[in-house]
Coordinates of all heavy atoms in Angstrom, one line a residue:
Y276 N 211.5 -21.1 222.8 CA 210.4 -21.9 222.3 C 210.9 -23.2 221.7 O 212.0 -23.2 221.0 CB 209.6 -21.1 221.3 CG 208.5 -20.2 221.8 CD1 208.7 -18.8 221.7 CD2 207.4 -20.7 222.4 CE1 207.8 -18.0 222.3 CE2 206.4 -19.7 222.9 CZ 206.7 -18.4 222.8 OH 205.8 -17.5 223.3
R277 N 210.2 -24.4 221.9 CA 210.6 -25.6 221.3 C 210.5 -25.4 219.8 O 209.6 -24.8 219.3 CB 209.8 -26.7 221.8 CG 209.9 -27.1 223.3 CD 208.7 -28.0 223.8 NE 207.5 -27.2 223.9 CZ 206.4 -27.6 223.3 NH1 206.4 -28.6 222.4 NH2 205.3 -27.0 223.4
K278 N 211.4 -26.1 219.1 CA 211.5 -25.9 217.7 C 210.2 -26.4 216.9 O 209.7 -25.7 216.0 CB 212.8 -26.7 217.1 CG 212.8 -28.2 217.4 CD 214.1 -28.7 217.0 CE 214.3 -30.1 217.3 NZ 215.7 -30.7 216.9
N279 N 209.6 -27.5 217.4 CA 208.4 -27.9 216.8 C 207.1 -26.9 217.1 O 206.4 -26.7 216.2 CB 207.9 -29.2 217.4 CG 208.9 -30.3 216.9 OD1 209.3 -30.4 215.7 ND2 209.2 -31.2 217.7
F280 N 207.3 -26.2 218.3 CA 206.2 -25.2 218.6 C 206.5 -24.0 217.8 O 205.6 -23.4 217.3 CB 206.2 -25.0 220.1 CG 205.1 -24.2 220.6 CD1 203.9 -24.8 220.9 CD2 205.3 -22.7 220.7 CE1 202.8 -23.9 221.4 CE2 204.2 -21.9 221.1 CZ 202.9 -22.6 221.5
A281 N 207.8 -23.6 217.7 CA 208.1 -22.4 216.9 C 207.6 -22.5 215.5 O 207.0 -21.5 214.9 CB 209.6 -22.1 217.0
G282 N 208.0 -23.6 214.8 CA 207.5 -23.8 213.5 C 206.0 -23.8 213.3 O 205.5 -23.3 212.4
A283 N 205.3 -24.4 214.3 CA 203.8 -24.5 214.3 C 203.2 -23.1 214.4 O 202.2 -22.8 213.8 CB 203.4 -25.4 215.5
V284 N 203.8 -22.3 215.3 CA 203.2 -20.9 215.4 C 203.2 -20.2 214.1 O 202.3 -19.6 213.7 CB 204.1 -20.1 216.5 CG1 203.7 -18.6 216.5 CG2 203.8 -20.7 217.9
E285 N 204.4 -20.2 213.4 CA 204.5 -19.6 212.1 C 203.6 -20.2 211.0 O 202.9 -19.4 210.3 CB 206.0 -19.6 211.6 CG 206.2 -18.9 210.3 CD 205.7 -17.4 210.3 OE1 206.1 -16.6 211.3 OE2 204.9 -17.0 209.5
A286 N 203.6 -21.4 211.0 CA 202.7 -22.2 210.0 C 201.3 -21.8 210.2 O 200.5 -21.6 209.3 CB 203.0 -23.7 210.0
A287 N 200.8 -21.9 211.5 CA 199.4 -21.6 211.8 C 199.1 -20.2 211.5 O 198.0 -19.9 210.9 CB 199.1 -22.0 213.2
S288 N 200.0 -19.2 211.8 CA 199.6 -17.9 211.6 C 199.7 -17.5 210.1 O 198.9 -16.8 209.7 CB 200.8 -17.0 212.3 OG 200.8 -17.2 213.7
S289 N 200.6 -18.1 209.4 CA 200.7 -17.8 208.0 C 199.4 -18.4 207.2 O 199.0 -17.8 206.2 CB 202.0 -18.4 207.4 OG 203.1 -17.8 207.9
T290 N 199.1 -19.6 207.6 CA 197.9 -20.2 207.0 C 196.6 -19.3 207.4 O 195.8 -19.0 206.5 CB 197.6 -21.7 207.5 OG1 198.8 -22.4 207.2 CG2 196.4 -22.3 207.0
G291 N 196.5 -18.8 208.6 CA 195.4 -17.9 208.9 C 195.5 -16.6 208.1 O 194.4 -15.9 207.9
G292 N 196.7 -16.3 207.6 CA 196.7 -15.1 206.7 C 195.8 -15.1 205.5 O 195.4 -14.1 204.9
Q293 N 195.5 -16.4 205.1 CA 194.6 -16.6 204.0 C 193.1 -16.3 204.3 O 192.4 -16.1 203.3 CB 194.7 -18.0 203.4 CG 196.0 -18.5 203.1 CD 196.8 -17.6 202.1 OE1 196.4 -17.5 200.9 NE2 197.8 -16.8 202.5
I294 N 192.8 -16.2 205.5 CA 191.4 -15.8 205.8 C 191.3 -14.4 206.3 O 190.2 -14.0 206.7 CB 190.8 -16.8 206.9 CG1 191.7 -16.7 208.3 CG2 190.8 -18.2 206.4 CD1 191.0 -17.4 209.4
M295 N 192.4 -13.7 206.2 CA 192.2 -12.2 206.6 C 191.4 -11.5 205.6 O 191.6 -11.7 204.4 CB 193.7 -11.7 206.6 CG 194.4 -11.9 207.9 SD 193.8 -11.2 209.4 CE 194.2 -9.5 209.2
P296 N 190.4 -10.8 206.1 CA 189.4 -10.2 205.2 C 190.0 -9.3 204.0 O 190.1 -9.7 202.9 CB 188.5 -9.5 206.0 CG 188.6 -10.1 207.4 CD 190.1 -10.5 207.4
P297 N 190.5 -8.1 204.4 CA 190.8 -7.2 203.3 C 192.4 -7.3 203.1 O 193.2 -7.4 204.0 CB 190.6 -5.8 203.9 CG 190.6 -5.9 205.3 CD 190.4 -7.4 205.7
P298 N 192.8 -7.3 201.8 CA 191.9 -7.1 200.7 C 191.6 -8.5 199.9 O 190.6 -8.5 199.2 CB 192.6 -6.1 199.7 CG 194.1 -6.6 200.0 CD 194.2 -7.0 201.4
I299 N 192.5 -9.5 200.0 CA 192.2 -10.6 198.9 C 191.8 -11.9 199.5 O 191.4 -12.8 198.8 CB 193.5 -10.8 198.1 CG1 194.6 -11.3 198.9 CG2 193.8 -9.4 197.4 CD1 195.8 -11.7 198.0
M300 N 192.1 -12.3 200.8 CA 191.8 -13.6 201.4 C 192.3 -14.6 200.4 O 191.7 -15.6 200.1 CB 190.2 -13.8 201.5 CG 189.6 -12.9 202.6 SD 187.8 -13.0 202.6 CE 187.5 -14.8 203.0
G301 N 193.6 -14.5 200.1 CA 194.2 -15.6 199.2 C 193.5 -15.5 197.8 O 193.6 -16.6 197.1
A302 N 193.0 -14.5 197.4 CA 192.3 -14.4 196.1 C 190.9 -15.1 196.0 O 190.2 -15.0 195.1 CB 193.2 -14.8 194.9
A303 N 190.7 -15.8 197.1 CA 189.4 -16.6 197.1 C 188.2 -15.8 197.2 O 187.1 -16.1 196.8 CB 189.4 -17.6 198.2
A304 N 188.3 -14.6 197.8 CA 187.2 -13.6 198.0 C 186.6 -13.3 196.7 O 185.4 -13.1 196.6 CB 187.7 -12.4 198.7
F305 N 187.4 -13.1 195.6 CA 186.9 -12.7 194.3 C 186.1 -13.9 193.6 O 185.2 -13.7 192.9 CB 187.9 -12.2 193.5 CG 188.8 -11.1 194.2 CD1 190.1 -11.3 194.5 CD2 188.2 -9.9 194.6 CE1 190.9 -10.4 195.2 CE2 188.8 -8.9 195.3 CZ 190.2 -9.2 195.6
L306 N 186.6 -15.1 193.9 CA 185.9 -16.2 193.3 C 184.5 -16.4 194.1 O 183.5 -16.8 193.5 CB 186.8 -17.5 193.5 CG 188.0 -17.6 192.6 CD1 188.9 -18.6 193.2 CD2 187.6 -18.0 191.2
M307 N 184.5 -16.1 195.4 CA 183.4 -16.2 196.2 C 182.3 -15.2 195.7 O 181.1 -15.5 195.8 CB 183.7 -16.0 197.7 CG 182.8 -16.8 198.6 SD 183.4 -16.6 200.4 CE 184.8 -17.6 200.4
I308 N 182.7 -14.0 195.2 CA 181.8 -13.1 194.6 C 180.9 -13.8 193.6 O 179.7 -13.6 193.6 CB 182.5 -11.8 194.0 CG1 183.1 -11.1 195.1 CG2 181.5 -11.0 193.3 CD1 184.1 -9.9 194.6
E309 N 181.5 -14.6 192.7 CA 180.8 -15.2 191.6 C 180.1 -16.5 192.1 O 178.9 -16.7 191.7 CB 181.7 -15.6 190.5 CG 182.4 -14.4 189.9 CD 181.6 -13.4 189.2 OE1 180.6 -13.9 188.7 OE2 181.9 -12.2 189.1
F310 N 180.8 -17.3 192.9 CA 180.2 -18.6 193.3 C 179.1 -18.4 194.3 O 178.1 -19.2 194.3 CB 181.4 -19.4 193.9 CG 182.3 -20.1 192.8 CD1 182.3 -19.5 191.6 CD2 183.0 -21.2 193.1 CE1 183.2 -20.0 190.7 CE2 183.9 -21.7 192.2 CZ 184.0 -21.1 191.0
A311 N 179.2 -17.5 195.2 CA 178.2 -17.4 196.3 C 177.2 -16.3 196.0 O 176.2 -16.2 196.6 CB 178.9 -17.0 197.6
G312 N 177.5 -15.5 195.0 CA 176.6 -14.4 194.5 C 176.5 -13.3 195.6 O 175.5 -12.6 195.7
E313 N 177.6 -13.0 196.3 CA 177.5 -12.1 197.4 C 178.5 -10.9 196.9 O 179.5 -11.1 196.1 CB 178.1 -12.6 198.6 CG 177.1 -13.5 199.4 CD 175.9 -12.8 200.0 OE1 175.9 -11.6 200.1 OE2 175.1 -13.6 200.5
S314 N 178.3 -9.7 197.5 CA 179.2 -8.5 197.2 C 180.5 -8.9 198.0 O 180.6 -9.6 199.0 CB 178.6 -7.3 197.6 OG 178.5 -7.3 199.1
Y315 N 181.6 -8.1 197.5 CA 182.8 -8.2 198.2 C 182.7 -7.8 199.6 O 183.3 -8.4 200.5 CB 183.9 -7.4 197.4 CG 185.2 -7.4 198.2 CD1 186.2 -8.4 197.9 CD2 185.5 -6.4 199.1 CE1 187.4 -8.4 198.6 CE2 186.7 -6.4 199.8 CZ 187.7 -7.4 199.6 OH 188.8 -7.5 200.2
W316 N 182.0 -6.7 199.8 CA 182.0 -6.2 201.2 C 181.3 -7.1 202.1 O 181.7 -7.4 203.2 CB 181.3 -4.9 201.2 CG 181.2 -4.2 202.6 CD1 180.1 -4.1 203.3 CD2 182.2 -3.8 203.4 NE1 180.4 -3.5 204.6 CE2 181.8 -3.3 204.6 CE3 183.7 -3.7 203.2 CZ2 182.6 -2.9 205.6 CZ3 184.4 -3.3 204.2 CH2 183.9 -2.8 205.3
N317 N 180.2 -7.9 201.7 CA 179.6 -8.9 202.5 C 180.5 -10.0 202.9 O 180.5 -10.5 204.0 CB 178.3 -9.4 201.8 CG 177.1 -8.4 202.0 OD1 177.2 -7.4 202.7 ND2 176.2 -8.6 201.1
I318 N 181.3 -10.4 201.9 CA 182.2 -11.5 202.1 C 183.3 -11.1 203.2 O 183.6 -11.9 204.1 CB 182.9 -11.9 200.8 CG1 181.8 -12.6 199.9 CG2 184.0 -12.9 201.1 CD1 182.2 -12.8 198.5
A319 N 183.9 -9.9 202.9 CA 185.0 -9.4 203.8 C 184.4 -9.1 205.3 O 185.1 -9.6 206.2 CB 185.5 -8.1 203.3
K320 N 183.2 -8.7 205.3 CA 182.6 -8.5 206.6 C 182.4 -9.8 207.3 O 182.6 -9.9 208.6 CB 181.2 -7.7 206.4 CG 180.5 -7.3 207.7 CD 179.3 -6.6 207.4 CE 178.2 -7.5 206.8 NZ 176.9 -6.8 206.7
A321 N 181.9 -10.8 206.7 CA 181.6 -12.0 207.2 C 182.9 -12.7 207.7 O 182.9 -13.5 208.7 CB 180.9 -13.0 206.2
A322 N 184.1 -12.4 207.1 CA 185.3 -13.0 207.5 C 186.0 -12.3 208.7 O 186.9 -12.9 209.3 CB 186.3 -13.0 206.3
I323 N 185.4 -11.1 209.1 CA 186.2 -10.4 210.2 C 186.1 -11.1 211.6 O 187.2 -11.3 212.1 CB 185.5 -9.0 210.4 CG1 185.7 -8.1 209.1 CG2 186.0 -8.3 211.6 CD1 185.0 -6.9 209.2
I324 N 185.0 -11.5 212.1 CA 185.0 -12.1 213.4 C 185.7 -13.5 213.4 O 186.5 -13.7 214.3 CB 183.5 -12.3 214.0 CG1 183.0 -10.9 214.3 CG2 183.4 -13.2 215.1 CD1 181.6 -10.8 214.7
P325 N 185.5 -14.4 212.5 CA 186.2 -15.6 212.4 C 187.7 -15.4 212.5 O 188.4 -16.1 213.1 CB 185.7 -16.3 211.2 CG 184.3 -15.8 210.9 CD 184.3 -14.3 211.4
A326 N 188.2 -14.4 211.6 CA 189.6 -14.1 211.6 C 190.1 -13.6 213.0 O 191.2 -14.0 213.4 CB 189.9 -13.0 210.5
I327 N 189.3 -12.8 213.6 CA 189.7 -12.2 214.9 C 189.9 -13.4 215.9 O 190.8 -13.6 216.7 CB 188.7 -11.2 215.5 CG1 188.7 -10.0 214.6 CG2 188.9 -11.0 217.0 CD1 187.6 -9.0 215.0
L328 N 188.9 -14.3 215.9 CA 188.9 -15.5 216.7 C 190.0 -16.4 216.5 O 190.7 -16.9 217.4 CB 187.5 -16.3 216.7 CG 186.3 -15.5 217.1 CD1 185.0 -16.2 217.0 CD2 186.5 -15.1 218.7
Y329 N 190.3 -16.6 215.2 CA 191.4 -17.5 214.8 C 192.7 -17.0 215.4 O 193.5 -17.7 216.0 CB 191.5 -17.6 213.3 CG 192.7 -18.5 212.7 CD1 192.4 -19.8 212.5 CD2 193.9 -17.9 212.6 CE1 193.4 -20.6 211.9 CE2 194.9 -18.8 212.1 CZ 194.6 -20.1 211.7 OH 195.6 -20.9 211.3
F330 N 193.1 -15.7 215.1 CA 194.3 -15.2 215.6 C 194.4 -15.0 217.1 O 195.5 -15.2 217.7 CB 194.7 -13.9 214.8 CG 195.2 -14.2 213.5 CD1 194.4 -13.9 212.3 CD2 196.4 -14.6 213.3 CE1 194.8 -14.2 211.1 CE2 196.9 -14.8 211.9 CZ 196.1 -14.7 210.8
A331 N 193.2 -14.7 217.7 CA 193.2 -14.6 219.2 C 193.5 -15.9 219.7 O 194.2 -16.0 220.8 CB 191.8 -14.1 219.5
G332 N 193.0 -17.0 219.2 CA 193.3 -18.4 219.7 C 194.7 -18.6 219.7 O 195.3 -19.2 220.7
I333 N 195.5 -18.3 218.6 CA 196.9 -18.6 218.5 C 197.7 -17.7 219.5 O 198.5 -18.1 220.1 CB 197.4 -18.4 217.1 CG1 196.6 -19.3 216.0 CG2 198.9 -18.7 216.9 CD1 197.0 -19.0 214.6
W334 N 197.2 -16.4 219.6 CA 197.8 -15.5 220.5 C 197.7 -16.0 221.9 O 198.7 -16.0 222.7 CB 197.2 -14.1 220.3 CG 197.8 -13.0 221.1 CD1 197.7 -12.8 222.4 CD2 198.6 -11.9 220.6 NE1 198.4 -11.6 222.7 CE2 198.9 -11.0 221.6 CE3 199.0 -11.6 219.3 CZ2 199.7 -9.9 221.4 CZ3 199.8 -10.4 219.1 CH2 200.1 -9.6 220.2
I335 N 196.6 -16.4 222.3 CA 196.4 -16.9 223.7 C 197.2 -18.1 224.0 O 197.8 -18.2 225.0 CB 194.8 -17.2 223.8 CG1 194.0 -16.0 223.9 CG2 194.7 -18.0 225.2 CD1 192.5 -16.2 223.7
M336 N 197.3 -19.0 223.0 CA 198.0 -20.3 223.2 C 199.6 -20.0 223.4 O 200.2 -20.5 224.2 CB 197.7 -21.3 222.2 CG 196.4 -22.0 222.6 SD 196.0 -23.3 221.4 CE 194.9 -22.5 220.3
T337 N 200.1 -19.1 222.5 CA 201.5 -18.8 222.5 C 201.8 -18.0 223.9 O 202.9 -18.2 224.5 CB 201.9 -17.9 221.4 OG1 201.1 -16.7 221.3 CG2 201.8 -18.7 220.0
H338 N 200.8 -17.2 224.3 CA 201.0 -16.4 225.6 C 201.0 -17.4 226.7 O 202.0 -17.3 227.6 CB 199.9 -15.5 225.8 CG 199.9 -14.7 227.1 ND1 200.7 -13.6 227.3 CD2 199.3 -14.9 228.3 CE1 200.5 -13.1 228.4 NE2 199.7 -14.0 229.1
L339 N 200.1 -18.4 226.8 CA 200.1 -19.3 227.9 C 201.3 -20.2 227.8 O 201.8 -20.7 228.9 CB 198.7 -20.2 227.8 CG 197.5 -19.4 228.0 CD1 196.3 -20.3 227.9 CD2 197.5 -18.7 229.4
E340 N 201.7 -20.7 226.7 CA 203.0 -21.4 226.5 C 204.2 -20.6 227.0 O 205.1 -21.2 227.8 CB 203.1 -21.8 225.0 CG 204.5 -22.6 224.8 CD 204.6 -24.0 225.3 OE1 203.5 -24.4 225.8 OE2 205.6 -24.6 225.2
A341 N 204.3 -19.3 226.8 CA 205.4 -18.6 227.3 C 205.3 -18.4 228.8 O 206.3 -18.5 229.5 CB 205.3 -17.2 226.7
K342 N 204.0 -18.3 229.3 CA 203.8 -18.3 230.7 C 204.3 -19.5 231.4 O 204.9 -19.6 232.5 CB 202.4 -17.9 231.2 CG 202.0 -16.4 230.9 CD 202.6 -15.5 232.0 CE 202.1 -14.1 231.9 NZ 202.7 -13.3 232.9
R343 N 203.8 -20.7 230.8 CA 204.2 -22.0 231.4 C 205.6 -22.2 231.4 O 206.1 -22.9 232.4 CB 203.4 -23.0 230.5 CG 203.5 -24.4 231.0 CD 202.9 -25.5 230.0 NE 203.7 -25.7 228.8 CZ 204.7 -26.4 228.7 NH1 205.0 -27.2 229.7 NH2 205.2 -26.5 227.6
T344 N 206.4 -21.8 230.4 CA 207.8 -22.1 230.3 C 208.7 -20.9 230.8 O 209.9 -21.0 230.7 CB 208.1 -22.5 228.9 OG1 207.7 -21.4 228.0 CG2 207.5 -23.8 228.5
G345 N 208.0 -19.9 231.3 CA 208.7 -18.7 231.8 C 209.5 -17.9 230.8 O 210.6 -17.3 231.0
L346 N 208.9 -17.8 229.5 CA 209.6 -17.0 228.5 C 209.2 -15.5 228.5 O 208.1 -15.2 228.9 CB 209.3 -17.6 227.2 CG 209.6 -19.0 227.0 CD1 209.2 -19.5 225.6 CD2 211.1 -19.3 227.1
H347 N 210.1 -14.6 228.2 CA 209.8 -13.2 228.2 C 209.9 -12.6 226.8 O 210.0 -13.4 225.9 CB 210.8 -12.5 229.1 CG 210.8 -13.0 230.6 ND1 209.7 -12.7 231.5 CD2 211.6 -13.8 231.3 CE1 210.0 -13.4 232.6 NE2 211.1 -14.1 232.5
G348 N 209.7 -11.3 226.7 CA 209.8 -10.7 225.4 C 211.2 -10.3 225.0 O 212.2 -10.7 225.7
L349 N 211.4 -9.6 223.9 CA 212.6 -9.2 223.3 C 213.2 -8.1 224.3 O 212.5 -7.4 224.9 CB 212.6 -8.7 222.0 CG 212.1 -9.8 220.9 CD1 211.9 -9.1 219.5 CD2 213.1 -10.9 220.7
K350 N 214.6 -8.0 224.2 CA 215.2 -6.9 224.9 C 215.1 -5.6 224.2 O 214.8 -5.6 222.9 CB 216.7 -7.3 225.2 CG 216.8 -8.5 226.1 CD 218.3 -8.9 226.1 CE 218.5 -10.1 226.9 NZ 220.0 -10.5 227.0
D351 N 215.2 -4.5 224.8 CA 215.1 -3.2 224.2 C 216.0 -3.0 223.0 O 215.6 -2.4 221.9 CB 215.4 -2.0 225.1 CG 214.3 -1.9 226.2 OD1 213.2 -2.3 225.8 OD2 214.6 -1.4 227.3
E352 N 217.3 -3.5 223.1 CA 218.2 -3.4 222.0 C 217.9 -4.2 220.7 O 218.4 -4.0 219.7 CB 219.7 -3.8 222.4 CG 219.8 -5.1 223.1 CD 219.6 -5.2 224.5 OE1 218.9 -4.2 225.0 OE2 220.2 -6.1 225.2
E353 N 216.9 -5.2 221.0 CA 216.5 -6.0 219.9 C 215.3 -5.5 219.1 O 214.8 -6.1 218.1 CB 216.2 -7.5 220.3 CG 217.4 -8.2 220.9 CD 217.0 -9.5 221.6 OE1 216.2 -9.6 222.5 OE2 217.5 -10.5 221.0
L354 N 214.7 -4.4 219.6 CA 213.5 -3.8 219.1 C 213.9 -2.7 218.1 O 214.9 -2.0 218.3 CB 212.7 -3.3 220.1 CG 212.1 -4.3 221.2 CD1 211.4 -3.5 222.3 CD2 211.2 -5.2 220.6
P355 N 213.2 -2.4 217.1 CA 213.4 -1.4 216.2 C 213.0 -0.1 216.8 O 212.2 -0.1 217.8 CB 212.5 -1.7 215.0 CG 211.4 -2.5 215.5 CD 212.0 -3.3 216.6
N356 N 213.5 1.0 216.2 CA 213.1 2.4 216.8 C 211.6 2.6 216.5 O 211.3 2.8 215.3 CB 214.0 3.4 216.1 CG 213.8 4.8 216.7 OD1 212.6 5.3 216.8 ND2 214.8 5.5 217.2
K357 N 210.8 2.7 217.4 CA 209.4 2.9 217.3 C 209.0 4.1 216.5 O 208.1 4.2 215.6 CB 208.6 2.9 218.6 CG 208.5 1.5 219.2 CD 207.5 1.6 220.4 CE 207.4 0.2 221.0 NZ 206.4 0.1 222.1

Side-chain angles (χ1 to χ4, degrees):
Y276 279 106
R277 293 169 288 121
K278 55 189 177 183
N279 291 320
F280 190 85
V284 170
E285 182 55 54
S288 302
S289 293
T290 300
Q293 303 305 291
I294 63 174
M295 281 294 287
I299 68 171
M300 289 173 64
F305 308 114
L306 290 163
M307 212 175 286
I308 291 172
E309 301 295 332
F310 285 21
E313 291 282 353
S314 68
Y315 175 87
W316 181 247
N317 284 343
I318 293 167
K320 184 178 69 173
I323 291 174
I324 292 179
I327 291 172
L328 295 176
Y329 180 93
F330 284 102
I333 302 176
W334 186 285
I335 288 165
M336 280 183 263
T337 55
H338 177 81
L339 295 177
E340 173 71 7
K342 285 286 189 183
R343 185 182 70 83
T344 52
L346 303 179
H347 303 287
L349 296 174
K350 298 176 182 177
D351 288 336
E352 57 268 25
E353 297 175 298
L354 299 173
N356 185 307
K357 287 188 177 182

